[in-house]
Amino acid sequence: MLVVMQHGAAPEEIQRVVATIEELGYQARPIAGAQRTAVGLVGNDGRVDSGRLAALPGVREVIHVSQPYKQVSREWKADPTIVRFPNGVSIGGDEIALMAGPCSVESEQQILESARIVRDAGATILRGGAYKPRTSPYAFQGLGEIGLKLLATARQETGLLIVTEALDAEGIDLVVEYADIVQIGARNMQNFSLLKRAGRCGRPVLLKRGQAATITEWLLSAEYLLAEGNHDVILCERGIRGFDTETRNVFDLTAIPVIHELSHLPIIADPSHGTGRRSKVTPMARAAVAAGADGLMIEVHPQPDRALSDGEQSLYPEQFAALVREVTEIAAAIGRRVAAPVA
Ligand code: PEP
Ligand code: MN
C-alpha cells in the first residue's frame, strides 16, 4: 500500500502518516519524489484500515498495490482448485460441469421429469430452488423442506448431484442435509452472516455474483468462505444490473477470464439469469464455454410456459439437449471436455 502525500505536504504531516502506519503494526518507508512524497506500507496482511490513513491531513490518495483478498487469489495458490464429489463428478480442471433443472421445485412430477430430461441430455448436477428469493413477497416462494425432500428423491432416482439455494443463516443447516452443493444467490452475495455459516457448513458452496457487485467484492465474499475453512468454492457469473431493458441483466463474459487470472477458484456461468430470455441462453452458453467457464448452470423446464418462476428464460428439453451437443464440440475445440454423465 502506498500513501501518496499532497504536493507541498508539511514534514509533520508526513511524520504523522509514518507514525500511524507504525502504530498499526506495519513498517513505513517514506519515498521522497520531485513533486511529492509517498509513504510505502510494508507487510500488509489484508487487515490495514486504509480509511484511517486516507483521512489524515496532507494525504492525497491511498494506492492499493496488492489485492485485498488473500486465500482466493492466484498468488496464494497457483494451481486451479478442483471441487470433487464422492461419485466422481468434479468442477474445475479440464472438465466442464453441466448443472441444469427448473428455477423452482414445483411438484414431485415436475422435478423428477426435469431430472430425467437433464440427465438424459448429459447434465451431472440437478438445480432447483426450494427456497426462492423473489422480488415480490406475493410471488411463489418455493416449497421449502418439501422441495428439499423432492430433490433428494430426484437424486435417488437419477444419480444426479443436487445444487440448491440456502436463503438465510437460519435455514442453511436444513439445506445442508439435502444438498450436495449449497447455492448462495446473487441477492445474498454480501450477506456476511450467511457466508460465515456457509464457510463452516461442510459442503461445497456455489457463490453467485451479486447483481451490482464488482469482481473484487465478489472475491472478497468468496474470501469469507475460505477464511472460515471452506475451500470448496465455485463462483458463478449470472449477469449484473445494466440500463438496457432488452435483457434482464448484462451477462459479463469477461468476468470468466478475469476470475481465472485473479483466482484459483472454478467459475461457472449462468446465462439463464444472465440474459433472462430463452433465445439468448444458448448463444451465451456457447460463448461462456469458449471463454473458459468451468461449467454451466441452465434453467430447463418440462413445460416452461407453465413454470411458477422464470419460465421465460427456461429452455425446452430439446433446446437443452442441443445446447449440450454444441458446447461439447466447443469444449473439444479448446482442449476440454464436458463431464461424462454419471453411470
Ligand atoms: C437461482 O439460481 O435460482 C437464482 C435465484 O439466481 P440468482 O441468485 O442468480 O438470481
Ligand atoms: Mn431462476
Side-chain angles (χ1 to χ4, degrees), residues 103-104 127 132 248 273 299 309-310 313:
C103 180
S104 306
R127 64 146 290 140
K132 296 306 301 177
R248 182 175 178 182
H273 294 89
E299 286 188 341
S309 59
D310 286 350
Q313 68 193 30

Side-chain angles (χ1 to χ4, degrees), residues 53-219:
L53 294 163
L56 291 175
V59 173
R60 182 165 178 266
E61 63 176 328
V62 175
I63 299 173
H64 296 266
V65 180
S66 55
Q67 305 288 10
Y69 41 80
K70 301 286 166 205
Q71 296 189 51
V72 300
S73 73
R74 276 270 178 202
E75 287 152 29
W76 186 274
K77 178 172 178 282
D79 52 316
T81 288
I82 302 177
V83 178
R84 296 179 197 279
F85 297 88
N87 70 347
V89 169
S90 60
I91 304 176
D94 289 341
E95 289 191 347
I96 291 164
L98 299 182
M99 311 180 183
C103 180
S104 306
V105 181
E106 300 170 4
S107 68
E108 178 163 350
Q109 197 202 337
Q110 176 252 17
I111 196 64
L112 288 180
E113 211 180 325
S114 302
R116 289 187 195 112
I117 289 165
V118 304
R119 182 203 52 191
D120 292 350
T124 52
I125 302 164
L126 175 67
R127 64 146 290 140
Y131 298 91
K132 296 306 301 177
R134 304 305 300 280
T135 303
S136 163
Y138 307 117
F140 178 58
Q141 303 286 309
L143 297 180
E145 190 173 3
I146 294 169
L148 295 176
K149 287 188 165 46
L150 293 178
L151 285 167
T153 307
R155 171 175 47 209
Q156 188 82 33
E157 293 268 320
T158 61
L160 294 170
L161 297 174
I162 302 296
V163 56
T164 194
E165 180 163 353
L167 213 48
D168 43 46
E170 302 75 54
I172 190 168
D173 291 343
L174 194 57
V175 171
V176 164
E177 282 181 36
Y178 296 91
D180 299 291
I181 305 172
V182 175
Q183 177 170 324
I184 296 193
R187 291 155 192 81
N188 267 323
M189 190 204 83
Q190 287 187 312
N191 180 338
F192 300 115
S193 46
L194 176 59
L195 291 172
K196 285 182 188 174
R197 288 291 292 270
R200 299 192 296 267
C201 81
R203 287 265 186 275
V205 172
L206 179 86
L207 178 64
K208 288 195 149 197
R209 182 177 182 178
Q211 293 163 296
T214 64
I215 286 173
T216 300
E217 288 165 340
W218 187 15
L219 287 174

Side-chain angles (χ1 to χ4, degrees), residues 259-270:
I259 289 290
H260 278 317
E261 195 177 301
L262 297 175
S263 176
H264 53 84
L265 295 175
I267 174 168
I268 70 155
D270 170 359

